[in-house]
Amino acid sequence: MTARFQSLAPAVRLADQVADALAAEVRSGRLSEGDRLPTEAVLAEQFGVSRTVIREAVSRLKSLGLVDSRQGSGVYVRAAGVEPLRFEMPHVASREAVIQMVELRRALEAEVAALAAERRTPEDVQRIREAIDALHAAVAAGGNGADEDVRFHRAIAEAARNPFLIGTLQYLRQFLHGATRVTRANEARRTDFAREVAEEHAQIVEAIEAGDALRAREAAKSHMDNAIRRIEQADPAFWQQEGAQLARPLVEGWAAGQ
């Protein structure tokens, strides 16, 4: 490989710039199947960044299916294929990015809840009830319940009996879970928000248990609409401190290909 890369100007996400530059080489054909990427040290020197940045960039390329690591040999360009969905989120630690992820959740969760209402079994309802109880217990113990919230919605998804929906949620998990951590942290700061969330969850569970698909869909949609409203009403200090810190792993997780 004869490509020579230029140093990068300082930026928030140098790893993203490196990954984009390398990906452009692959997609253009200047780096073709079977070509070996330069070593970390060489790339770090050419781009003018640290080796940690190079590792993050290569991890992102792996998550895109563009390269593979070979033990003891290096990193090589993979055969061309269909690339997975990409979420370019340079401003992911922003209020707007979190809202966009909740909008995505709204589209998925509403249909999942409706299908769960149609297809749930007594065992499904039991698991959903246990998940909501665990969520309440976590909040009562002083936590924000983010992990338990994720498990609650996962229990509903399993009751929908649609492996493609479950697979989509699993594929998007790092983004959806990251958004959940932000919304739960915001909601934990205000008792009225926390009370609203508990009531909204109860309405979803009751509709699913009753087998009312229309009511379950509307309850789930309303829950996400209200989550957006609560984000919009968040104290500005939240975004300057905890909110920004919690949102950052969305981009870091993407770079790491997790």
Side-chain angles (χ1 to χ4, degrees):
M1 190 197 88
T2 60
R4 173 78 186 179
F5 299 102
Q6 298 181 346
S7 297
L8 299 176
V12 174
R13 290 298 303 171
L14 290 174
D16 288 343
Q17 292 188 61
V18 173
D20 288 342
L22 291 171
E25 293 293 308
V26 174
R27 296 191 182 99
S28 69
R30 290 187 292 271
L31 276 172
S32 57
E33 177 187 351
D35 284 348
R36 181 179 179 275
L37 295 189
T39 64
E40 280 184 6
V42 170
L43 287 173
E45 180 182 0
Q46 290 189 6
F47 281 109
V49 298
S50 69
R51 294 178 66 166
T52 297
V53 169
I54 297 300
R55 282 194 290 273
E56 290 181 359
V58 170
S59 290
R60 177 175 161 183
L61 294 181
K62 290 177 185 176
S63 73
L64 292 174
L66 296 178
V67 301
D68 269 332
S69 291
R70 299 180 189 173
Q71 186 67 32
S73 178
V75 179
Y76 292 81
V77 177
R78 290 185 58 181
V82 178
E83 290 186 22
L85 291 170
R86 299 184 65 189
F87 290 87
E88 300 296 342
M89 301 170 71
H91 307 296
V92 73
S94 71
R95 167 181 170 274
E96 289 74 20
V98 174
I99 288 174
Q100 288 167 1
M101 291 310 304
V102 178
E103 289 172 345
L104 175 58
R105 282 193 67 191
R106 179 174 59 194
L108 293 170
E109 300 283 2
E111 186 60 23
V112 164
L115 291 174
E118 292 175 353
R119 301 170 180 175
R120 83 282 182 268
T121 65
E123 291 76 20
D124 290 326
V125 173
Q126 174 76 14
R127 281 191 291 271
I128 292 170
R129 289 285 184 187
E130 289 173 353
I132 201 68
D133 288 344
L135 173 53
H136 292 162
V139 172
N144 63 32
D147 291 340
E148 291 78 13
D149 191 299
V150 168
R151 287 194 284 272
F152 165 63
H153 286 282
R154 171 74 186 196
I156 294 174
E158 290 172 349
R161 298 285 190 281
N162 185 318
F164 293 102
L165 271 175
I166 293 175
T168 299
L169 291 169
Q170 181 69 8
Y171 183 85
L172 298 171
R173 68 189 183 281
Q174 72 186 74
F175 302 104
L176 301 180
H177 292 193
T180 299
R181 285 190 287 271
V182 176
T183 57
R184 291 295 308 191
N186 175 52
E187 291 155 359
R189 292 163 66 96
R190 288 178 48 171
T191 57
D192 56 335
F193 282 179
R195 183 172 59 252
E196 287 177 3
V197 173
E199 292 172 354
E200 291 160 17
H201 281 165
Q203 290 170 5
I204 295 171
V205 174
E206 289 168 5
I208 291 173
E209 189 168 11
D212 190 332
L214 290 177
R215 184 155 59 98
R217 179 183 286 110
E218 183 55 36
K221 177 183 179 298
S222 178
H223 177 43
M224 293 299 137
D225 287 339
N226 288 330
I228 292 173
R229 172 182 55 78
R230 288 186 285 265
I231 282 293
E232 291 173 339
Q233 294 176 354
D235 187 331
F238 174 71
W239 293 108
Q240 297 169 6
Q241 302 168 7
E242 188 177 14
Q245 293 172 0
L246 289 170
R248 192 175 303 122
L250 290 173
V251 130
E252 293 175 351
W254 169 256
Q258 295 175 352

